[in-house]
Amino acid sequence: MLIVDASMRPDDIQRRIDAIFGRMERAEFGDERYAILFKPGRYACDVNVGFYTQVAGLGRVPGEVDIAGHVHAEADWNGGMALVNFWRGAENLTVRPPDGADRWAVSQAAPYRRIHLAGNLALDDGGWSSGGFIADCRIGGTIRSGSQQQWFTRASTIGGWHGANWNMMFLGVEGAPPTTFPEPPITTVSDVRVIREKPFLTVGARGAWGVFVPSLRRDARGPGWTGTASGTTLPLERFFIARPGMTARRINAALRRGLHLLVTPGIYPLTEPIRVTRGGTVVLGLGLATLRADGGAPALTVADVPGVSIAGLLIDAGAQSSPVLMEIGPRGSSRDHRADPTLLADVFFRVGGAAVGRADTCLEINSRGVIGDHLWIWRADHGDRAHVRVHVGWDESTADRGLVVNGHDVTMYGLFVEHFRRDNVAWNGERGRTYFFQNELPYDPPSQAAYRAGSPHDWTAYRVADHVREHQATGLGIYANFTADPAIVVPSAIVAPRRPGVRFTDITTISLGGGKGTIAHLVNDAGDAARAGAIRQTLRHYP
């Protein structure tokens, strides 16, 4: 961690920031992790944000850390292509670029949160990009999406928006464009029904460190930090500070003593899960802190308790297959936590790519009333080609399901799930809601028979169980890119019960690469096929 203080010499600050970026600009599958944390004050610097780097202010509100300069993500290292600009973040800052514009050219797992930007914002760098996520921000100028294939913006205020390609969604955003789906493909919903913003690290005027936990908001619109922002500051003394190399046994002993958990940057190999058993526990990762599930156990489990916050973590699958990488509530959980829901914010999962990884399911939610706010659940479609460590393949890095929801009243904001070998999302709970979904089906099934092996039905991107009576999802983009066998056909992108309480709005399917694979229908048997010669299809409502 680099803690930046306004008393430091500006050239020293810049030198240290540049050194971190120099190490992380190309480190897509590297092992280093960094958090650059600015204490309250005014700064003049340029912060270029590379892989596995989180840049955050430590103020109570964004205005307490004021940067005259840029806080930006570029794709220079990849010829302007931001398609793999993953795993980085900017949070809790006021940014005043001297030229009136900044750039955040990213794809998945790169949150832009709690930022006050005095200027315009570009979301691409000239080449293709596949993002992304903005939340709890105030952008004074216009956001230009450029080549972004999709984007989700939540609970923010923006000066304007320009651009749309496949699936742009706005939820509770002041200044958002109106719904025009399918041309241009913009979906706007007026407010956020229920949300708790991500907790964040702070330091007060007298040097007291803590973690601020924002209060639950209902029917929210615009950022939560304007006006009177409510919440609770937990003193840092109530946190166990984990460092790389610590065992789950030591961490669990601290959690049993009633402490919260702050996970500092690094990689944590775990042969048993971190176990959260107390309601209201905060687990906050810094600098893309990475929990690796070694030995076939989960990386983290949560009991059926209310008000837990899990935020800022990357969960890696190990070489020995885990039945599940993260479990929220044991199976059979039945307590009603809607009044004090558990939050998963900026929680990312990876199977393969950096190393061989295997899991049956990445995330299983069994508790009731859980909120997911920006999840990327990824079975890797590529690896570290520069070092000939690819670690991908149909039979090498394996995972069947990305997300399984068994709990009732679960809500997802900004859900990204990609490349799983069976149903990417399997939703079995009642009254589930998803606002924005991005999915790519697996690239690598060697044949239709191999893709369906051992199954009574074809797999899909998003399946709602037959018994479910009520479910809603809005703003869904589902894409096929069957590079190993372009003849593969997926009968339906979404499979769900045919009843009035199950509804889908603004769905897009695309056959990428000019038609590598076919998605025959969008929902059940509704909609035309995305295929070679007709690569993009849309559906406004189902039913």
Side-chain angles (χ1 to χ4, degrees):
M1 294 193 294
L2 171 62
I3 310 298
V4 183
D5 190 289
S7 65
M8 296 168 62
R9 291 175 49 184
D11 58 343
D12 187 39
I13 293 172
Q14 192 65 60
R15 178 181 58 80
R16 295 186 183 204
I17 290 170
D18 289 347
I20 291 172
F21 178 71
R23 298 180 69 88
M24 305 312 292
E25 181 183 12
R26 298 172 178 270
E28 183 182 355
F29 294 102
D31 294 336
E32 296 179 82
R33 305 287 186 269
Y34 289 95
I36 303 173
L37 306 177
F38 286 83
K39 287 186 174 181
R42 295 180 178 274
Y43 302 86
C45 57
D46 179 271
V47 187
N48 205 342
V49 186
F51 285 101
Y52 307 109
T53 303
Q54 176 195 26
V55 178
L58 296 172
R60 175 69 169 71
V61 293
E64 292 185 13
V65 176
D66 192 299
I67 294 180
H70 296 91
V71 177
H72 55 119
E74 312 282 349
D76 298 338
W77 71 279
N78 201 27
M81 297 287 286
L83 281 171
V84 295
N85 267 11
F86 308 144
W87 303 310
R88 64 197 73 199
E91 302 180 44
N92 201 28
L93 305 163
T94 289
V95 182
R96 303 183 188 279
D99 56 0
D102 220 339
R103 187 186 314 278
W104 192 249
V106 298
S107 289
Q108 289 83 3
Y112 196 81
R113 282 186 183 267
R114 203 175 170 84
I115 301 289
H116 179 195
L117 175 65
N120 300 321
L121 182 64
L123 299 179
D124 75 330
D125 198 11
W128 276 108
S129 45
S130 181
F133 181 88
I134 289 173
D136 203 26
C137 288
R138 172 177 283 177
I139 311 298
T142 297
I143 301 174
R144 298 184 180 276
S145 62
S147 67
Q148 285 291 347
Q149 297 166 349
Q150 63 275 315
W151 198 277
F152 178 65
T153 307
R154 178 187 62 67
S156 296
T157 297
I158 64 176
W161 180 277
H162 182 270
N165 283 305
W166 298 347
N167 181 29
M168 273 47 186
M169 185 171 179
F170 302 84
L171 182 65
V173 177
E174 297 169 333
T179 295
T180 52
F181 190 92
E183 293 298 343
I186 291 172
T187 300
T188 297
V189 177
S190 61
D191 53 42
V192 186
R193 59 190 302 271
V194 58
I195 188 64
R196 177 181 284 122
E197 298 294 346
K198 179 183 177 182
F200 56 93
L201 190 63
T202 67
V203 60
R206 298 183 179 181
W209 290 75
V211 171
F212 186 77
V213 182
S215 298
L216 198 68
R217 301 172 70 200
R218 297 187 185 275
D219 301 321
R221 184 171 172 82
W225 46 269
T226 56
T228 303
S230 62
T232 302
T233 299
L234 302 174
L236 199 59
E237 290 78 10
R238 293 174 58 185
F239 282 77
F240 179 75
I241 300 176
R243 295 177 175 84
M246 287 184 176
T247 64
R249 181 170 298 181
R250 185 175 176 187
I251 293 170
N252 287 334
L255 291 171
R256 286 195 300 271
R257 295 198 304 271
L259 295 176
H260 303 278
L261 179 60
L262 186 72
V263 189
T264 61
I267 297 176
Y268 296 74
L270 302 173
T271 56
E272 61 180 288
I274 295 171
R275 302 182 190 277
V276 178
T277 59
R278 180 177 55 88
T281 300
V282 174
V283 177
L284 177 60
L286 300 176
L288 282 294
T290 302
L291 310 182
R292 192 177 69 218
D294 286 344
L300 190 148
T301 64
V302 179
D304 189 20
V305 294
V308 172
S309 293
I310 310 290
L313 293 173
L314 171 59
I315 313 298
D316 252 344
Q320 183 175 337
S321 184
S322 297
V324 63
L325 295 179
M326 181 183 288
E327 181 185 71
I328 309 301
R331 291 188 181 180
S333 295
S334 58
R335 297 173 183 171
D336 188 349
H337 303 309
R338 285 177 293 176
D340 189 11
T342 283
L343 171 69
L344 308 177
D346 296 343
V347 178
F348 312 129
F349 297 80
R350 180 172 63 184
V351 181
V356 171
R358 299 185 178 98
D360 291 343
T361 298
C362 285
L363 173 61
E364 183 174 298
I365 298 176
N366 299 306
S367 286
R368 186 175 180 181
V370 173
I371 296 172
D373 188 44
H374 192 211
L375 307 181
W376 186 38
I377 307 175
W378 188 56
R379 175 177 168 261
D381 62 286
H382 68 278
D384 191 354
R385 301 183 185 95
H387 297 90
V388 200
R389 296 186 300 150
V390 179
H391 303 309
V392 297
W394 187 247
D395 295 314
E396 182 175 358
S397 289
T398 59
D400 288 342
R401 289 164 292 272
L403 171 65
V404 175
V405 179
N406 298 318
H408 301 325
D409 305 296
V410 171
T411 302
M412 289 286 158
Y413 302 114
L415 175 61
F416 302 74
V417 185
E418 297 190 284
H419 309 308
F420 289 87
R421 298 185 356 146
R422 296 192 175 186
D423 291 335
N424 282 242
V425 172
W427 206 299
N428 305 311
E430 288 289 353
R431 295 175 299 281
R433 287 176 169 83
T434 296
Y435 299 91
F436 184 91
F437 176 65
Q438 187 260 330
N439 169 264
E440 283 185 355
L441 295 160
Y443 290 3
D444 53 357
S447 66
Q448 187 91 45
Y451 193 18
R452 193 176 175 179
S455 170
H457 54 72
D458 291 279
W459 304 117
T460 190
Y462 195 109
R463 184 181 299 275
V464 180
D466 290 342
H467 65 263
V468 171
R469 309 294 301 179
E470 183 180 336
H471 186 92
Q472 297 179 29
T474 300
L476 302 95
I478 297 166
Y479 318 133
N481 190 26
F482 292 112
T483 54
D485 181 4
I488 289 175
V489 177
V490 175
S492 295
I494 300 165
V495 176
R498 305 169 190 266
R499 52 177 58 103
V502 178
R503 302 193 297 274
F504 295 87
T505 305
D506 294 1
I507 312 117
T508 298
T509 56
I510 296 177
S511 180
L512 298 173
K516 291 183 178 178
T518 297
I519 303 175
H521 301 286
L522 288 92
V523 185
N524 297 332
D525 57 0
D528 295 329
R531 55 177 175 76
I535 63 169
R536 177 174 177 256
Q537 301 293 342
T538 61
L539 189 64
R540 185 73 178 90
H541 293 288
Y542 181 91

